[in-house]
């Protein structure tokens, strides 16, 4: 299974990206200091390892070279923890992430807090922003000499919202209404720029989606 978001794989294929499955880079081919290509070797799935996945095994004599004038390594991400060399009490996981109290984001070293990708590994911006806010609250309590224990309160009162009433005709329409597709920039217009690929919904489409979502209990036959 490719460790990537399905939509991103689909869009990459639409834009002409060719994905070489079961191939591992062996060396970069150069002429002096100029890149000329990259040599890869084909792999086959071997025995299942300790992680429960089949380990790729090189196929002898299957090397091939892809011509290229630019090679961009994208072999994973890991946090840069060079700053932590002098912090002996800072506990790290086997993957090199900082171990924290998940509720307060406090580390094993008193007065040091951590959050975001350095704790979770590569994750979403929204999660990083959330951890930043939690860490800021913990730091504030620490500097004030208060307990780090967080008070979990419901910000908005929970209440039962009754389903929106629609006429029989509207219900019949909603039952077959498909999700609105966001308009996208044509593939040929995406090249050589950083323009937004997905546009926003029109007012009419947004209202149609809202009406559909308000009756999420309605399903088309077969769904």
């Amino acid at each position: 299974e490719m460790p990537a978001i399905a939509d991103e794989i689909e869009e990459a294929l639409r834009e002409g990206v060719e994905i070489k499955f079961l191939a591992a880079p062996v060396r970069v081919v150069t002429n002096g200091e100029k890149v000329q290509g990259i040599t890869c070797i084909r792999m086959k799935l071997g025995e299942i390892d300790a992680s429960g996945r089949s380990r790729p095994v090189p196929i002898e004599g299957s090397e091939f070279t892809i011509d290229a004038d630019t090679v961009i390594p994208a072999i994973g991400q890991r946090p840069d923890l060079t700053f932590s060399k002098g912090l002996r009490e800072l506990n790290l996981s086997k993957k090199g992430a900082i171990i924290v109290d998940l509720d307060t984001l406090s580390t094993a070293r008193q007065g040091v807090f951590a959050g975001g990708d350095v704790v979770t590994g590569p994750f979403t911006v929204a999660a990083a922003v959330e951890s930043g806010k939690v860490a800021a609250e913990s730091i504030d309590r620490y500097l004030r000499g208060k307990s780090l224990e967080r008070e979990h309160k419901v910000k908005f009162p929970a209440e039962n919202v009754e389903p929106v009433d629609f006429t029989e005709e509207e219900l019949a329409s909603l039952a077959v209404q498909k999700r609105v597709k966001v308009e996208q920039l044509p593939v040929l217009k995406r090249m050589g720029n950083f323009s937004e690929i997905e546009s926003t919904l029109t007012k009419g489409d947004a209202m149609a989606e809202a009406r559909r979502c308000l009756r999420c209990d309605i399903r088309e036959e077969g769904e």
Side-chain angles (χ1 to χ4, degrees):
E1 182 179 350
M2 181 183 290
I5 298 174
D7 288 345
E8 292 184 351
I9 297 174
E10 182 180 343
E11 290 303 317
L13 294 173
R14 287 186 61 198
E15 293 179 19
V17 174
E18 183 180 355
I19 302 175
K20 296 288 187 182
F21 294 98
L22 285 176
V26 177
R27 58 184 171 273
V28 175
V29 181
T30 61
N31 181 8
E33 296 184 355
K34 183 174 177 59
V35 173
Q36 287 190 324
I38 183 168
T39 298
C40 302
I41 188 169
R42 300 190 186 281
M43 315 285 280
K44 62 180 179 180
L45 296 179
E47 298 295 329
I48 296 177
D49 60 18
S51 68
R53 302 181 66 179
S54 297
R55 180 178 294 277
V57 179
I59 301 175
E60 187 177 351
S62 65
E63 290 189 0
F64 63 97
T65 299
I66 301 172
D67 295 333
D69 53 19
T70 301
V71 175
I72 304 174
I75 55 175
Q77 297 173 313
R78 61 183 178 185
D80 180 1
L81 297 176
T82 53
F83 70 90
S84 67
K85 290 182 179 179
L87 304 178
R88 295 181 180 178
E89 298 90 345
L90 205 61
N91 292 337
L92 304 180
S93 69
K94 292 181 179 179
K95 294 184 178 180
I98 299 177
I99 299 175
V100 299
D101 179 291
L102 295 180
D103 192 49
T104 65
L105 297 186
S106 57
T107 67
R109 184 182 175 93
Q110 187 176 6
V112 177
F113 302 82
D117 289 8
V118 76
V119 170
T120 63
F123 204 45
T124 64
V125 173
V129 171
E130 178 191 13
S131 66
K133 291 183 176 181
V134 171
E137 292 175 356
S138 292
I139 292 170
D140 179 68
R141 287 193 294 272
Y142 174 79
L143 294 176
R144 292 174 183 269
K146 296 183 177 181
S147 170
L148 294 181
E149 185 177 352
R150 294 174 62 195
E151 295 182 12
H152 296 277
K153 297 180 179 180
V154 178
K155 294 184 178 180
F156 302 99
E159 58 181 273
N160 181 37
V161 179
E162 295 296 329
V164 177
D165 289 327
F166 291 113
T167 65
E168 291 296 329
E169 291 77 12
E170 289 174 322
L171 288 174
S173 174
L174 288 171
V176 296
Q177 182 177 318
K178 299 292 184 180
R179 180 177 182 179
V180 175
K181 292 186 177 180
V182 178
E183 185 176 349
Q184 295 185 336
L185 197 67
V187 172
L188 293 178
K189 293 185 178 181
R190 303 179 189 181
M191 308 301 181
N193 61 70
F194 293 97
S195 301
E196 289 287 346
I197 293 176
E198 295 185 349
S199 64
T200 56
L201 294 177
T202 65
K203 181 178 180 180
D205 286 343
M207 292 179 66
E209 275 295 271
R211 287 169 62 83
R212 190 177 66 87
C213 291
L214 286 171
R215 286 309 302 267
C216 59
D217 56 311
I218 300 175
R219 293 287 184 273
E220 184 177 2
E221 186 175 352
E223 286 189 327

